[in-house]
């Protein structure tokens, strides 16, 4: 700790931090443009100048480390004049187009010009104009507004890891662009929109739609992947206009993926807002609620209960899953499943399906082993976190990878794509690295957990993990889930133990073992293989793959139209908030289920969503600890019976931009996928 | 500055591919060896210079991609450097690329006059290239040879101590493909005091 004086006040701060950070801790505001706490220091905007005793010139506080006894002044004549001067220079080439700029109202330059600028400009010469750049379907550019803070460049290099942005030319001719104006090929690219302190980089889909002060801001969480990024959903009237990240250092820092940010527009397309039933001509036609419920009732009553199969979708909240389970348990129809991909896990062992080290554990780890995890597409936010770890480790952080080759944003040691390649970790060269490490993390992706060798890979990795992390309390054995609803569904026990990763419920469905198939927003099974005789009931909010085969379609509200708990891949329950009302004549699933239960004479034990949640939390105590993770012990090692089948470990996500019914129906996401997945 | 040779050339002027000649390839490998392994970026500048002289004095896009691949550094890093320094040209130049210094010492020794006359002799403005591709002309900042001002750089050589007569002679010789003498065009051998 060192003692420094800020405006005459003594402050104890940590050694090695810079003046701007010390001022922040002391509660003194320093204006800045290029400085950003999550990025490296550039020191090129000069807005953060402060006066330092024994220095003739003002110093850039973002780049100057603190020293014992340093005396800093932030409100003297010199500082005020310096800020005015810098501001005037920055505004020389900045256009006065605030009234038509999307950044207006939330613009750092605008705010700081008001607070620290001189109010008038003396510049009468010609301003420069810069050609706008093409940076892809998400980022709109207005390069004349750019003040060259280089935040976007540093972000791409350090966090997104794609090195496509840079500065061309120099001096007055400086321009920021991507190499030959190619679209920025990164799942995290749109974060530069938030980072840009001016209106140079703005959001294309949000172009000219609203002013920040008109928006209703809802603090919610993301459901497009299992990370559970914290987001703020901005809406105007009944429409969601944009999604922004909220800072949560434990989960997503302050970044979100492009899918999280832009897939919301899928919520306005292809929505199911009416009841449908299949008529005699085998055509899906609109029907009345009572008719549909009566058909359903006849079907349910006249069928033996073990002939009913139920599957829940990937992005559902716990309440819906729990209500559905209550309903099916009461009906005694216990053939239910939440894993449309037959991912491997051990029933009742929570640590066999969650990210045990927690996301923040990545920052402590010293070796990373990725097994069948195409992490760049499966969880871009985590991928960036690993990259940050890799960059902070002077790029000597070893990352091993088993699985089919795919792009990563860090350097990896490729071991091979077959499951047998896992044994290479026991070879001397690799073993030495692992033996030296104290906190290795193993990340088992769905590519591995859905492969034929899942059980073998799981046990082999667990054995390796325990071998290399003896004697510490470190738990770095992680499963990377892909879907926001999966951990919740497994926690709630929405599975039948007789179905394992080798014996799938889907095979029974395809082999005509069932007469009724309930699908709760489940769209990822092969609908062509469902036998014609099976009666398919689909509850959902999007007319996606399932409706082509469904015999009854019952509309339910989607995640922005209700409040619900989601458990992220770490096992952290978080609450997703209601942003808008459901579509007219559409109800929440729990309400729909309540109505159906009356038709078939079942008492579900709740009368409204609030009671449903209370009932659920009473039964599953750990979900009630919102934002906290309940620790769980690693499963016991099991001896591996057979050698690996040596199957190929593939990637579990083909197209990052289209992974569920919402993103598949989003125009912005389809534009992205056309742009980045050209075949 | 308005340096037209710093603009990336149009697509029709870009060659289909670029690679180092065998001789340059050996040199390049030696250059890379000069720097520590984790500072491969250090070799960008010498490699770009070599690529430029191999490709008639300018760098096509393919050369930038080639150097980036050769060193395994991002393409953007190479392009940043190629656009930052005025010595790299990104569009075709004439056989004799004339860079005339007009910074203070040269100006005081009459470079403005030389430039005006030169424009008449070869019939082009700065940033342009003659129809027969023989000459291209550019105005540059200090070439660092003020003691022999005024100075003109043609391709990789300096021509110093110029006056109207010697400059015209020089340009005439170049346009008639005759050999020319590098360095001072006066009685001086180097930068010693005039006798």
């Amino acid at each position: 700790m060192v003692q420094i004086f800020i405006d005459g006040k003594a402050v104890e701060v940590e050694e090695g931090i810079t003046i701007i950070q010390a001022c922040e801790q002391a509660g003194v505001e320093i204006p800045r443009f290029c400085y950003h706490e999550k990025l490296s220091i550039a020191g090129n905007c000069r807005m953060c100048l402060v006066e330092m005793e024994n220095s003739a010139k003002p110093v850039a506080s973002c780049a100057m480390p603190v020293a014992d006894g340093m005396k800093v002044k932030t409100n003297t004549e010199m500082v005020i004049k310096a800020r005015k001067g810098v501001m005037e220079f920055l505004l020389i080439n900045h256009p006065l187009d605030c009234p038509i700029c999307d950044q207006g109202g939330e613009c750092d330059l605008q705010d700081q010009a008001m607070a620290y600028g001189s109010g008038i400009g003396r510049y009468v010469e010609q301003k420069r104009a810069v050609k706008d750049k093409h940076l892809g379907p998400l980022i709109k550019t207005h390069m004349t507004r750019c003040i060259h803070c280089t935040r976007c460049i540093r972000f791409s290099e350090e966090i997104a890891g794609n090195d496509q942005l840079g500065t061309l030319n120099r001096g007055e001719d400086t321009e920021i662009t991507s190499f030959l104006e190619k679209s920025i090929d990164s799942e995290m690219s749109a974060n530069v929109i938030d980072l840009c302190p001016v209106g140079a980089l703005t959001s294309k889909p949000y172009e000219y739609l609203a002013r920040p002060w008109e928006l209703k801001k809802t603090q919610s969480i993301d459901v497009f992947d299992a990370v559970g990024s914290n987001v703020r959903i901005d809406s105007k009237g009944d429409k969601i206009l944009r999604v922004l990240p909220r800072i949560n250092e434990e989960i997503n820092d302050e970044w979100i993926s492009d899918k999280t940010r832009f897939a919301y527009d899928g919520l306005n397309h292809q929505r199911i807002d009416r009841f449908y039933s299949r008529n005699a001509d085998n055509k899906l036609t609109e029907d009345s609620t009572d008719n549909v419920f009566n058909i359903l009732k006849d079907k349910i009553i006249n069928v033996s209960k073990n002939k009913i199969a139920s599957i829940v979708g990937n992005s559902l909240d716990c309440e819906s899953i729990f209500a559905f389970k209550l309903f099916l348990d009461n009906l005694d129809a216990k053939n239910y499943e939440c894993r449309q991909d037959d991912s491997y896990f051990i029933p009742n062992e929570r640590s066999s399906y969650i990210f045990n080290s927690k996301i923040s554990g990545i920052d402590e780890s010293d070796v990373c082993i990725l097994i069948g995890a195409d992490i760049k597409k499966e969880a871009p936010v985590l991928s960036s976190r690993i990259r940050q770890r890799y960059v902070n480790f002077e790029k000597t952080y070893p990352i091993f990878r088993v699985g089919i080759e795919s792009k990563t944003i860090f350097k990896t040691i490729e071991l091979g794509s077959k499951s047998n390649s896992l044994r290479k970790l026991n070879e001397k060269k690799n073993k030495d690295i692992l033996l030296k490490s104290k906190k290795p993390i193993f990340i088992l992706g769905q590519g591995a957990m859905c492969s034929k060798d899942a059980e073998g890979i799981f046990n082999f990795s667990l054995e390796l993990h325990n071998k290399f992390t003896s004697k510490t309390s470190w738990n770095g054995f992680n499963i990377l889930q892909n879907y926001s609803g999966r951990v919740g569904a497994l926690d709630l026990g929405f599975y039948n133990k007789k179905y394992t990763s080798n014996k799938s419920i889907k095979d029974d469905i395809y082999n005509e073992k069932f007469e009724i198939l309930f699908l709760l927003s489940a769209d990822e099974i092969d609908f062509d293989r469902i036998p014609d005789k099976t009666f398919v009931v689909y509850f959902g909010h999007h007319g996606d793959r399932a409706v082509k085969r469904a015999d009854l379609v019952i509309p339910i509200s989607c995640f922005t139209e209700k409040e619900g708990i989601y458990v992220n891949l770490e096992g952290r329950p978080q609450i997703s908030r209601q942003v808008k009302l459901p579509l007219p004549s559409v109800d929440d699933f729990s309400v729909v289920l309540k109505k159906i239960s009356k038709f078939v004479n079942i008492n579900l034990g709740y009368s409204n969503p609030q009671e449903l949640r209370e009932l659920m939390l009473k039964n599953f105590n750990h979900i009630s600890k919102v934002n906290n993770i309940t620790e769980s012990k690693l499963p016991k090692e099991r001896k591996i019976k057979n050698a690996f089948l040596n199957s190929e470990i593939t990637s579990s996500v083909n197209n990052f931009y289209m992974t569920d019914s919402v993103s598949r129906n989003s125009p912005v996401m389809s534009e992205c996928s056309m742009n980045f997945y050209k075949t | 500055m308005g340096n037209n040779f710093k603009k990336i050339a149009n697509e029709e002027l870009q060659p289909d591919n670029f690679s180092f000649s065998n001789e340059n390839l050996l040199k390049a490998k030696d250059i890379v060896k000069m720097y520590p392994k984790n500072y491969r970026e250090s070799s960008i500048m010498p490699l770009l210079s070599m690529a430029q002289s191999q490709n008639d004095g300018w760098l096509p896009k393919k050369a930038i991609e080639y150097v980036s691949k050769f060193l395994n550094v991002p393409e953007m890093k190479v392009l940043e450097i190629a656009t930052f320094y005025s010595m790299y040209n990104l569009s075709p130049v004439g056989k004799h690329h004339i860079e005339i210094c007009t910074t203070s010492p040269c100006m005081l020794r009459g470079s403005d006059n030389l430039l005006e006359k030169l424009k008449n002799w070869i019939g082009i403005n700065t940033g342009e290239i003659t129809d027969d591709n023989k000459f291209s002309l550019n105005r540059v900042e200090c070439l660092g040879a003020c003691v022999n001002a005024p100075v003109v750089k043609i391709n990789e050589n300096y021509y110093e101590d110029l006056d109207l007569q010697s400059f015209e002679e020089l340009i005439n010789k170049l346009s008639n493909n005759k050999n020319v003498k590098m360095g001072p065009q006066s009685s001086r051998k180097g930068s010693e005091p005039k006798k």
Side-chain angles (χ1 to χ4, degrees), chain A residues 277-289:
Chain A
S277 64
R278 204 167 281 278
N279 63 13
D281 300 336
N282 202 22
K283 269 200 175 136
L284 210 56
T285 43
E286 199 183 327
D287 208 340
S288 74
T289 316

Side-chain angles (χ1 to χ4, degrees), chain A residues 563-577:
Chain A
E563 189 170 305
I565 294 178
Y566 282 88
V567 186
N568 84 344
L569 49 73
E570 304 168 284
R572 184 195 302 269
Q574 299 186 102
I575 298 179
S576 162
R577 304 276 177 194

Side-chain angles (χ1 to χ4, degrees), chain A residues 157 163 166-167 169-170 179, chain B residues 74-77 80 83-84:
Chain A
E157 193 176 317
D163 295 312
T167 47
N169 307 326
R170 60 165 154 180
F179 184 68
Chain B
E75 292 154 334
M76 195 62 208
K77 283 258 152 67
E80 277 182 335
T83 56
F84 185 87

